Amino acid sequence: MVISQKSRVEIIAEDATELSPLVVEANANPKNYLACIVKPPSRFYLVGEEYIITEPSDNGYYTVFLKCHPDNAPVGSYKTKYFDIIALFEKLEVIEIPVQKIEVEPEIKELPRDQWKQMDLFGF
């Protein structure tokens, strides 16, 4: 007995030109927090290390970012029991300050000629 693939599909509308709008979550821009690890989730984490975490999702997980690179991709998603929130984290603006490079020439002191001594490299 051969079952056709056509029997497994149900046609809802013949001419579906209207697309449904995307639903934007109310929490599209979650708050970020500075948090430290109280119970390492794996051997790669140490107690007291600081990370940036988002508000916990409905399933009880934080999205975790590196403290030094909060704008990069997250490093993981962990349960709330592993972190202790320290403070609200607000994005810091980086201010670039021009650095002046100062070149210091080393001071070379030369011995007076009467203190010069002839060196013999091959004399044994």
Side-chain angles (χ1 to χ4, degrees), residues 22-31 55 58:
L22 293 175
V23 178
V24 179
E25 293 182 25
N27 199 6
N29 293 323
K31 291 182 182 177
E55 292 178 335
D58 294 337

Side-chain angles (χ1 to χ4, degrees), residues 50-81:
E50 294 181 348
Y51 290 89
I52 305 301
I53 60 173
T54 60
E55 292 178 335
S57 61
D58 294 337
N59 60 3
Y61 282 83
Y62 289 126
T63 302
V64 181
F65 298 89
L66 291 175
K67 182 180 173 184
C68 58
H69 300 291
D71 294 332
N72 288 3
V75 294
S77 183
Y78 297 103
K79 289 225 176 238
T80 56
K81 66 181 179 180

Side-chain angles (χ1 to χ4, degrees), residues 16-104:
T17 57
E18 187 177 317
L19 298 174
S20 62
L22 293 175
V23 178
V24 179
E25 293 182 25
N27 199 6
N29 293 323
K31 291 182 182 177
N32 292 334
Y33 298 96
L34 179 64
C36 68
I37 295 181
V38 291
K39 182 180 176 187
S42 71
R43 64 185 175 104
F44 299 108
Y45 296 91
L46 299 173
V47 173
E49 281 184 322
E50 294 181 348
Y51 290 89
I52 305 301
I53 60 173
T54 60
E55 292 178 335
S57 61
D58 294 337
N59 60 3
Y61 282 83
Y62 289 126
T63 302
V64 181
F65 298 89
L66 291 175
K67 182 180 173 184
C68 58
H69 300 291
D71 294 332
N72 288 3
V75 294
S77 183
Y78 297 103
K79 289 225 176 238
T80 56
K81 66 181 179 180
Y82 298 120
F83 293 91
D84 189 20
I85 294 176
I86 298 172
L88 182 65
F89 179 80
E90 295 183 21
K91 187 175 178 181
L92 302 175
E93 292 185 25
V94 178
I95 301 172
E96 293 186 21
I97 300 173
V99 178
Q100 295 179 355
K101 189 174 181 181
I102 301 172
E103 292 185 26
V104 178

